[in-house]
Amino acid sequence: MLNGSPLNAGPLNSLPGGAVEPEYVVRGQSFVWALRVLVGGVNITSQLTGAVTVDREEGAAGIAGFDLFIAPGTPVVPTDWKGRSVTVDYITTSQGVTTEARRFTGQISIANWSPVTRLLSCECSDQLQQRVEGMTVTAIDALIGGYWSADVFEPVEGRSHWDYALERLSTRPASLDCSPTGELRVTSWYAGAPAFVFGPGTTLYQTVELQQGDLDRTTNRVEIEFSYRYNRLWQRNKNYQWQSPETQGLTGLSGFCQWRTNSHELPTKDMIAEAASGNGETLLSPDYYTLPLTMADPCGDGSPWTNTFDDLLLGVSWIGARRWVQVVTEKYTLTLATAAGEAEASRIVQRASHTVDVEDDRAQEWTDEPILGGNSGSSDLEDDARRDAALNVALHMGKTEIIAAHREATLTWQVPTSLALGIDLTHTLELNDQGAHAIGKCRRIVDTFDLGGGDPVTAISIAVMRGGGVSDPLTLPSRLGAGAGGGGGTGSAPANILPTQLGGRLTSPPYDDTLDGFAGNYSSTTSGTETFPRRIDSIADEIPAADRDERQLDAAVLYRVGVPNDLLEL
């Protein structure tokens, strides 16, 4: 029989102002103890031999193990035991008060039979992974929370739901495990106010031990290269205008009558369409000033007019439209670092890279489909929801990795199990015994019930977080390419007035084949003079390389990560 007193598993005492008074472990009182183990609802405690163990650790399946002695003459089928439910209860009595505490709830996963010793060795598990695997994605989201992105991880369809749960957990400084009674729960890594305090004389002699992580594993800086790639749809409209100089700027019959006194060849509607397509543009919104058809006396001078061609033009204005697709890549260098991670001499760096590549069928349709209208400018086929989801995952994964690396210090001590009742992995514990004073979140609880020696001992481990510093909020960086494409409406730019070259007369200048606009000849020409080819050209503006080639935009952001300094004095 060991000295001690049972702990009440009920709620802690409340103090004024909502504070909670911790449970102080009291030494120096005697108790008796017993186990109750049920398998498939049947009490098999009397068949136990050796030791019963229960091991529960944050983020892992709880396990238990025990040996059953099967009396000779009793048939044994080990496979029939697999999958049977198991509960382990600890019962302790002190000062006439009996307390029961559930230590494990699960199933037998393996039952090994020894015909020589007639021992059935049972290994049990709370089936954490299998239970999560059987949950729906929606239920996992509600249980775990956190962040997730198909651009960082793989799409969840057809994959393990346990892996999906771990992916969400990787973005939270928290662990998923089962309570002693079998409920799934998620618990923060951060220590709070101590729920239980182990003072002087409450721990077993020489059982206090500190384990530390290797320096190389203490990541204090995470560098993330994040790329956001999408298509920018461009349209550029250019206004063109041409009118015969012989119209003297007039329109209608007035302009025609001016042209008639010094007539020349004219372009056709087909020539305008060819001029637009010849420079890679689509003809939009043409406005034709056509040569009148046959009329008796259009100019009032007694001269009849004959014309049977309805596509000859005295003037024309149109819009030439071009479309193309530009790739835009926003690159973010995201750094998360503690104070030590900011100093070059003390950095322990982990690196990661993530890419969100927005593929959209509209990009192909933009250049393949005919242009029927639209304004000058650009529009982005972005998916900011995907970008933000992936950024949140990347940042929170990086921060969680740093926090995990700074809680590798584990302080362990042993106490009689009757002094550990009510303690769970969810609690913050304080130890002040055998030269160690520390506060940390409970990381592991291991029960060893020695049925032969009569000693029930529980090993308790806490994670002590150390680091210091302050934390910046993980605010997502602003879009680099938002609004950078420019714009402008149809017809917003001044019209490009196309010149005219007319040959066939002594006053005609030499023909310039590099000049855009209309070229032709006067209706009445002088013998021996140069005649010009009849054509109309419009020259499209060159697309700037900044709007045509892949555009890369860069930004760098530093996030400071502060780590609480849990109490640790040795």
Side-chain angles (χ1 to χ4, degrees):
M1 193 158 56
L2 301 174
N3 292 328
S5 66
L7 294 179
N8 193 331
L12 304 178
N13 297 324
S14 296
L15 297 175
V20 177
E21 182 181 6
E23 189 91 28
Y24 291 90
V25 178
V26 181
R27 60 174 180 154
Q29 299 184 21
S30 63
F31 58 84
V32 295
W33 69 278
L35 282 185
R36 180 172 59 240
V37 178
L38 303 182
V39 175
V42 178
N43 192 333
I44 50 84
T45 308
S46 61
Q47 297 175 259
L48 294 172
T49 182
V52 177
T53 60
V54 176
D55 186 347
R56 296 192 302 111
E57 185 175 6
E58 63 177 12
I63 58 176
F66 53 82
D67 292 339
L68 297 177
F69 177 74
I70 308 298
T74 302
V76 177
V77 182
T79 55
D80 289 348
W81 288 76
K82 187 166 59 175
R84 291 183 182 180
S85 63
V86 175
T87 58
V88 178
D89 294 306
Y90 180 81
I91 306 166
T92 182
T93 302
S94 177
Q95 297 180 330
V97 178
T98 298
T99 303
E100 295 186 9
R102 176 64 52 83
R103 307 303 289 175
F104 178 79
T105 301
Q107 294 176 286
I108 295 177
S109 52
I110 298 176
N112 294 318
W113 170 247
S114 173
V116 177
T117 62
R118 297 199 64 78
L119 292 181
L120 186 69
S121 298
C122 298
E123 299 178 12
C124 311
S125 170
D126 61 18
Q127 303 295 303
L128 173 66
Q129 292 90 332
Q130 290 76 12
R131 292 177 62 187
V132 173
E133 191 67 53
M135 297 173 65
T136 65
V137 170
T138 301
I140 293 174
D141 294 347
L143 173 65
I144 297 177
Y147 299 88
W148 193 84
S149 164
D151 292 293
V152 177
F153 309 111
E154 296 180 10
V156 69
E157 290 78 10
R159 286 201 304 122
S160 164
H161 284 197
W162 171 249
D163 289 345
Y164 173 75
L166 292 180
E167 290 165 354
R168 280 197 166 271
L169 277 170
S170 69
T171 66
R172 291 193 60 187
S175 295
L176 169 66
D177 47 60
C178 291
S179 71
T181 54
E183 291 83 10
L184 295 171
R185 76 279 178 88
V186 174
T187 308
S188 171
W189 290 344
Y190 292 102
F196 296 89
V197 177
F198 289 85
T202 57
T203 61
L204 297 181
Y205 183 59
Q206 292 186 340
T207 62
V208 177
E209 179 183 2
L210 178 66
Q211 295 178 329
Q212 303 180 60
D214 189 273
L215 176 63
D216 292 342
R217 298 172 55 187
T218 311
T219 301
N220 56 28
R221 185 182 181 92
V222 174
E223 297 178 356
I224 303 168
E225 295 293 333
F226 187 92
S227 295
Y228 179 44
R229 193 169 185 266
Y230 53 89
N231 290 310
R232 175 166 289 165
L233 309 184
W234 280 98
Q235 178 165 325
R236 182 149 297 170
N237 297 343
K238 184 175 181 180
N239 297 323
Y240 297 94
Q241 183 176 331
W242 175 83
Q243 187 168 338
S244 168
E246 299 301 335
T247 62
Q248 303 298 315
L250 302 175
T251 58
L253 288 179
S254 299
F256 159 71
C257 293
Q258 289 291 336
W259 170 84
R260 187 181 181 185
T261 62
N262 199 15
S263 64
H264 58 79
E265 294 175 322
L266 297 174
T268 65
K269 295 178 180 180
D270 287 343
M271 291 172 65
I272 302 302
E274 291 172 0
S277 62
N279 59 21
E281 295 179 330
T282 296
L283 179 68
L284 295 179
S285 305
D287 185 11
Y288 300 119
Y289 175 20
T290 57
L291 188 69
L293 296 175
T294 299
M295 300 179 69
D297 186 9
C299 297
D301 57 1
S303 301
W305 169 250
T306 302
N307 175 36
T308 59
F309 299 99
D310 61 358
D311 63 344
L312 292 173
L313 303 175
L314 288 171
V316 61
S317 64
W318 77 92
I319 296 171
R322 281 182 295 173
R323 286 180 174 178
W324 69 96
V325 177
Q326 181 186 27
V327 176
V328 180
T329 302
E330 300 179 11
K331 290 189 174 181
Y332 303 87
T333 301
L334 310 173
T335 302
L336 300 102
T338 65
E342 292 187 64
E344 185 174 355
S346 55
R347 292 176 183 173
I348 302 173
V349 183
Q350 293 292 331
R351 293 181 173 85
S353 64
H354 306 286
T355 299
V356 175
D357 193 348
V358 181
E359 297 180 354
D360 196 314
D361 292 339
R362 289 178 294 173
Q364 188 66 35
E365 295 169 358
W366 184 252
T367 55
D368 289 349
E369 298 294 327
I371 304 175
L372 302 178
N375 296 332
S376 286
S378 67
S379 61
D380 293 338
L381 297 182
E382 79 280 5
D383 192 334
D384 286 352
R386 283 176 57 187
R387 167 194 179 267
D388 294 352
L391 275 171
N392 270 316
V393 168
L395 289 173
H396 284 85
M397 282 180 65
K399 183 175 182 178
T400 300
E401 182 176 358
I402 291 175
I403 297 299
H406 285 75
R407 65 189 302 264
E408 288 297 310
T410 301
L411 189 65
T412 302
W413 66 93
Q414 295 181 10
V415 297
T417 301
S418 293
L419 300 186
L421 301 188
I423 294 176
D424 198 358
L425 297 172
T426 59
H427 290 134
T428 296
L429 308 178
E430 180 178 354
L431 172 68
N432 190 6
D433 192 20
Q434 299 191 60
H437 192 191
I439 296 176
K441 189 259 180 187
C442 187
R443 164 172 274 167
R444 188 177 184 184
I445 301 173
V446 180
D447 297 323
T448 303
F449 306 113
D450 188 344
L451 302 174
D455 294 334
V457 176
T458 296
I460 300 172
S461 300
I462 60 172
V464 181
M465 192 178 293
R466 302 286 296 177
V470 297
S471 287
D472 294 325
L474 298 185
T475 305
L476 300 187
S478 301
R479 276 278 312 280
L480 297 176
T490 299
S492 60
N496 183 39
I497 306 300
L498 297 177
T500 302
Q501 299 183 80
L502 296 174
R505 292 186 178 175
L506 294 175
T507 56
S508 298
Y511 175 68
D512 186 352
D513 61 358
T514 65
L515 189 66
D516 62 347
F518 177 70
N521 299 284
Y522 285 102
S523 300
S524 59
T525 60
T526 303
S527 177
T529 58
E530 180 184 10
T531 58
F532 297 171
R534 182 173 172 232
R535 52 88 175 167
I536 187 167
D537 292 328
S538 57
I539 299 176
D541 296 331
E542 183 179 357
I543 301 172
D547 295 340
R548 180 186 65 246
D549 299 339
E550 179 176 356
R551 177 173 292 189
Q552 293 194 0
L553 307 169
D554 301 283
V557 184
L558 171 67
Y559 299 90
R560 296 174 298 172
V561 178
V563 181
N565 277 324
D566 294 338
L567 176 65
L568 179 61
E569 298 176 355
L570 300 176

